[in-house]
């Protein structure tokens, strides 16, 4: 089937950020709810309405078939209450969708699937510092029913505007119903993970090169080997990991367990998403291990540098101990001391002091202490 062959191409073109923070221009005349960014009805894979109210969309679907796709951005409880009642959404899932900050998960409430995705965006920076933000996270939550899908987005990134337009350009795909939209969202989210993983890999490579570069920064630590940068990168990788790892189980369920709300043709392609997600998860786990190794190497190099400094300090202290000792002896007020009344006693002691100090310094130099 041509729809199946073109599925990957339909949902994986180049990503782009949207001009609007809501991702899709809402019509204030038709969408009284300010949180709604788009509300459309799709029948036989084609959009048959423009910016209708959710109640009108569901009335059209129930009378003439098709499905409704309602997109919201950071709705309040009051703004979401009417939609939740119209679509019969479970109160627990509604609470999660409104307050956000949820782990990626898949839950079933009666005839509705509730899916939470963590979106990840790489934050561009000229130079990685101990306070640089590397990844920025958001959330996309999906309520998937037989004849509707409600998407709730939190955060300034992860817009679904371009995805909606691409799907509308592929009627055969949209004809598969809400599960086709759910797959496209999951695929876009995981593609975002892969792009961020590649950018984070570049940051880790940069830190690794700096840590193992020759020379020091003049402060006793390896050149470029700032432990603060490594710790910051570890924190950002941990945040990335919290978005990726919990999603493995939901993707496995969507790809392996038959579900009435997921079209069988679409379910096959969840396996591809699950496979890409597993690869990204392995990559993120390797990031954490690699950063641990880099941090240990950095601390070891700093300890070696400190030991070298201590050896130099000790060597110079030993050298200066000689004139200190001689001056201390001759500073004692005794009448009968060696060479006390000798005419050349003072220059002789000075020469002896210099000779002893030079000999000690030469010995330390030969042994690598100076």
């Amino acid at each position: 089937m041509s729809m199946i062959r073109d599925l990957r191409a339909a949902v994986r073109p180049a990503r782009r950020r949207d001009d609007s923070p809501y991702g899709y221009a809402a019509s204030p005349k038709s969408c009284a709810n300010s949180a709604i960014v788009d509300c459309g009805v799709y029948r036989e894979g084609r959009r048959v309405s423009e910016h209708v109210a959710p109640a009108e969309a569901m009335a059209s679907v129930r009378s003439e078939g098709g499905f409704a796709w309602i997109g919201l951005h950071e709705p309040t409880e009051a703004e979401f209450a009417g939609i939740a009642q119209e679509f019969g959404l479970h109160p627990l899932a509604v609470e999660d969708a409104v307050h956000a900050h949820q782990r990626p998960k898949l839950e079933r409430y009666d005839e509705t699937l509730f899916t939470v995705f963590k979106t990840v965006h790489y934050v561009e920076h000229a130079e990685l510092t101990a306070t640089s933000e590397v990844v920025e996270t958001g959330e996309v939550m999906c309520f998937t029913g037989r004849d509707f899908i409600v998407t709730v987005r939190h955060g300034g990134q992860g817009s679904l505007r371009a995805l909606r337009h691409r799907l509308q350009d592929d009627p055969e795909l949209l004809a598969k119903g809400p599960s086709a939209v759910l797959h496209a969202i999951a695929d876009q989210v995981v593609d975002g993970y892969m792009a961020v993983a590649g950018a984070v890999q570049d940051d880790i490579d940069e830190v690794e090169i700096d840590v193992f570069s020759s020379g020091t920064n003049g402060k006793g630590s390896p050149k470029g080997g700032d432990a603060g940068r490594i710790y910051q990168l570890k924190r950002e990788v941990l945040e990335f990991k919290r978005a990726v790892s919990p999603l493995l189980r939901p993707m496995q369920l969507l790809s392996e367990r038959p579900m009435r709300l997921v079209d069988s043709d679409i379910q096959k392609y969840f396996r591809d998403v699950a496979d890409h997600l597993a690869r990204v998860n392995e990559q993120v786990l390797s990031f954490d291990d690699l950063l641990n190794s880099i941090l240990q190497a950095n601390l070891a190099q700093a300890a070696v540098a400190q030991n070298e400094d201590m050896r130099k300090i000790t060597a110079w202290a030993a050298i200066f101990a000689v004139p200190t000792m001689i001056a201390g002896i001759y500073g004692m007020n005794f009448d009968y001391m060696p060479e006390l009344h000798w005419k050349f006693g003072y220059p002789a002691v000075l020469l002896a002091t210099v000779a002893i100090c030079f000999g000690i310094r030469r010995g330390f130099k030969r042994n690598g202490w100076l």
Side-chain angles (χ1 to χ4, degrees):
M1 183 182 292
S2 61
M3 184 279 297
I4 298 298
R5 289 196 303 268
D6 297 339
L7 180 59
R8 300 302 302 161
V11 298
R12 282 196 176 171
R15 309 299 185 206
R16 63 183 180 88
R17 294 182 65 85
D18 302 301
D19 297 331
S20 168
Y22 299 104
Y24 198 91
S27 172
K29 296 181 180 180
S30 59
C31 295
N33 192 327
S34 61
I36 298 178
V37 294
D38 195 17
C39 178
V41 175
Y42 299 86
R43 192 170 296 119
E44 295 182 356
R46 300 186 181 278
R47 184 162 181 158
V48 296
S49 65
E50 290 291 336
H51 307 300
V52 297
E56 297 175 6
M58 284 310 298
S60 175
V61 167
R62 288 163 183 165
S63 62
E64 302 181 38
F67 73 94
W69 181 359
I70 296 91
L72 301 97
H73 180 263
E74 298 182 354
T76 63
E77 292 184 10
E79 291 171 332
F80 202 32
I83 295 176
Q85 183 177 4
E86 180 69 35
F87 292 94
L89 307 180
H90 196 279
L92 291 177
V94 171
E95 181 180 1
D96 289 346
V98 170
H99 295 96
H101 303 296
Q102 304 296 318
R103 283 170 52 89
K105 60 183 178 180
L106 172 66
E107 295 177 343
R108 180 168 182 173
Y109 295 96
D110 300 327
E111 293 299 313
T112 303
L113 287 179
F114 177 59
T115 314
V116 178
F117 300 97
K118 282 278 191 182
T119 58
V120 178
H121 169 67
Y122 180 76
V123 180
E124 297 290 343
H125 45 267
E127 181 181 0
L128 181 65
T129 66
T131 58
S132 295
E133 183 180 14
V134 178
V135 295
E136 177 187 6
T137 60
E139 293 180 39
V140 175
M141 305 174 184
C142 303
F143 295 87
T144 309
R146 290 183 177 276
D147 52 8
F148 69 87
I149 180 166
V150 179
T151 57
V152 181
R153 184 167 61 89
H154 290 266
Q157 44 84 28
S159 171
L160 303 178
R161 177 188 180 187
L163 176 64
R164 186 187 286 264
H165 286 315
R166 288 196 300 273
L167 289 175
Q168 289 176 174
D169 291 337
D170 190 348
E172 288 187 73
L173 177 59
L174 270 181
K176 292 296 181 179
S179 61
V181 179
L182 180 62
H183 166 266
I185 294 173
D187 191 57
Q188 175 171 293
V189 169
V190 174
D191 277 357
Y193 293 165
M194 297 176 70
V196 172
V200 172
Q201 179 69 66
D202 293 339
D203 283 336
I204 295 177
D205 291 342
E206 178 185 346
V207 170
E208 186 177 19
I209 292 172
D210 288 344
V211 167
F212 291 101
S213 62
S214 59
T216 60
N217 59 9
K219 299 180 181 179
S221 59
K223 182 180 179 181
D226 184 2
R229 295 195 307 157
I230 304 175
Y231 274 118
Q232 177 65 15
L233 199 52
K234 278 181 63 65
R235 285 193 294 266
E236 296 297 308
V237 167
L238 178 60
E239 186 174 1
F240 190 12
K241 180 180 177 182
R242 287 172 179 166
V244 175
S245 296
L247 191 58
L248 289 170
R249 181 59 178 168
M251 286 298 101
Q252 183 180 12
L253 293 175
L254 287 171
S255 62
E256 296 179 357
R257 180 177 297 180
M259 297 183 182
R260 287 178 295 175
L261 298 175
V262 178
D263 186 274
S264 58
D265 290 334
I266 297 298
Q267 188 172 35
K268 299 175 184 177
Y269 287 87
F270 274 111
R271 299 173 190 167
D272 183 64
V273 177
D275 178 65
H276 288 180
L277 181 65
R279 287 184 352 198
V280 174
N281 184 63
E282 292 175 359
Q283 193 172 5
V284 173
L285 293 177
S286 69
F287 289 164
D288 194 38
D289 293 338
L290 181 56
L291 284 171
N292 285 333
S293 300
I294 294 174
L295 181 60
Q296 292 298 323
N298 176 257
L299 295 177
Q301 289 181 341
V304 170
Q306 290 176 354
N307 288 337
E308 292 179 354
D309 291 340
M310 290 302 299
R311 288 199 300 179
K312 292 179 180 179
I313 293 172
T314 302
W316 283 110
I319 293 172
F320 283 109
V322 173
T324 301
M325 180 187 67
I326 295 175
I329 291 174
Y330 277 90
M332 294 186 292
N333 296 321
F334 291 108
D335 291 333
Y336 303 101
M337 295 185 68
E339 315 302 339
L340 190 60
H341 301 287
W342 183 36
K343 180 179 180 180
F344 300 103
Y346 182 71
V349 170
L350 290 180
L351 289 175
T353 301
V354 171
I356 294 172
C357 290
F358 180 78
I360 295 175
R361 182 184 181 278
R362 186 177 180 182
F364 282 132
K365 192 78 173 180
R366 185 184 300 116
N367 293 327
W369 282 53
L370 289 175

